[in-house]
Amino acid sequence: MTTSLLTLQQRASAGEKLAVLTAYDASFAALLESCGIDALLVGDSLGMVLQGQRSTLPVRLADMVYHTASVARGATNSFIIADLPFGSYQASPAQAFEAAAQLMAAGAHCVKLEGGAVMVDTVAFLSVRGIPVCAHLGLLPQSVNTLGGYKVQGKSEPAARQLLADALALQQAGAGMVVLEAIPTALAAEVTLALHIPTIGIGAGADCSGQVLVLHDMLGVTAGKPPRFVRNFMMGADSVQAAVSAYVKAVKSGEFPAPEHCF
């Protein structure tokens, strides 16, 4: 039986931590599913880890459709979240719906978009038309040029209040879950407590409803220095499957993220 958004919401409400990883192809999708991953994120991070781009901005909708379909063929029971890439949804809710419909037809069960209050109308437009939405707050990779780089967000009191207000507004608009990226642990805990939908953290502390990492990062195959919130689960593992299983166990037990992975 395929995991649904309601399933994930029920697990989170019951106190079970949700383990999420990115996936971009059928083989890894099947492996991750066999290890007990709760959800697979077909991330526009593929632009950097698969295509060698310097950011996620060059990723096209056609790329996302292709990789979503590949993941859907490999994972038969997992909940699949697909990123709406830069330029495919910001112009209008109608544009977002057209792009989201392509991802859903390719096998996604939910689409993810970046942005706070500016995306409330779009989230509402998609949600009432049958497209589940995962919001994304904090560090927004698609806005890296506006943010001035990959920096921790929500550090000041006004910024923290705005992020919390945005999270509540997106929930009210119909978002079924929200990714919190690179924000202070205390703020992520406050947002998680205020919402009734799951929060999925990446560099947002252990109090979120679940955690997500880029697959290549947690396997230690990404070039350069990894972000602070990354742990290499291949260390001490004798196989990729063992590393993924260790990640799932660490998230479920609350062992990961540890203080050294947090802001």
Side-chain angles (χ1 to χ4, degrees):
M1 183 177 177
T2 302
T3 301
S4 67
L5 180 58
L6 179 60
T7 305
L8 297 181
Q9 291 171 339
Q10 290 173 337
R11 290 175 186 172
S13 294
E16 179 181 348
K17 295 289 187 180
L18 304 176
V20 185
L21 283 172
T22 63
Y24 315 103
D25 63 68
S27 297
F28 265 109
L31 185 150
L32 299 182
E33 183 172 271
S34 73
C35 294
I37 286 290
D38 291 289
L40 303 175
L41 170 62
V42 186
D44 57 3
S45 50
L46 67 87
M48 302 172 78
V49 299
L50 298 187
Q51 298 176 343
Q53 308 282 5
R54 292 188 176 182
S55 73
T56 63
L57 299 181
V59 176
R60 302 168 303 162
L61 179 59
D63 297 328
M64 296 306 304
V65 170
Y66 173 87
H67 286 282
T68 297
S70 297
V71 168
R73 285 189 288 267
T76 57
N77 300 313
S78 299
F79 187 73
I80 299 172
I81 306 163
D83 273 340
L84 285 165
F86 180 74
S88 71
Y89 65 95
Q90 289 92 341
S92 67
Q95 183 204 28
F97 180 84
E98 291 179 7
Q102 291 188 49
L103 293 174
M104 299 293 285
H109 303 118
C110 176
V111 299
K112 182 167 75 65
L113 50 76
E114 298 182 9
V118 70
M119 285 294 122
V120 166
D121 289 346
T122 297
V123 170
F125 190 92
L126 296 179
S127 298
V128 299
R129 287 164 176 79
I131 296 181
V133 178
C134 175
H136 186 146
L137 294 171
L139 173 58
L140 308 178
Q142 293 177 9
S143 300
V144 63
N145 292 317
T146 302
L147 298 175
Y150 297 96
K151 301 177 180 179
V152 178
Q153 303 296 307
K155 294 170 69 175
S156 70
E157 183 65 20
R161 293 309 99 204
Q162 185 61 58
L163 191 145
L164 176 58
D166 286 348
L168 289 167
L170 289 163
Q171 175 181 260
Q172 180 65 29
M177 58 200 310
V178 58
V179 167
L180 301 176
E181 180 168 1
I183 66 174
T185 297
L187 175 57
E190 183 179 2
V191 173
T192 300
L193 186 63
L195 300 180
H196 60 71
I197 59 174
T199 59
I200 307 299
I202 176 167
D207 293 314
C208 295
S209 310
Q211 302 293 325
V212 63
L213 284 178
V214 171
L215 177 65
H216 293 61
D217 287 347
M218 61 82 62
L219 293 178
V221 297
T222 304
K225 183 180 178 180
R228 176 175 175 172
F229 52 74
V230 171
R231 172 178 159 187
N232 181 357
F233 282 86
M234 279 301 296
M235 298 291 290
D238 58 8
S239 67
V240 171
Q241 190 165 8
V244 175
S245 295
Y247 168 77
V248 173
K249 181 179 179 181
V251 171
K252 297 285 186 183
S253 68
E255 174 193 343
F256 177 80
E260 62 265 27
H261 304 119
C262 304
F263 300 105

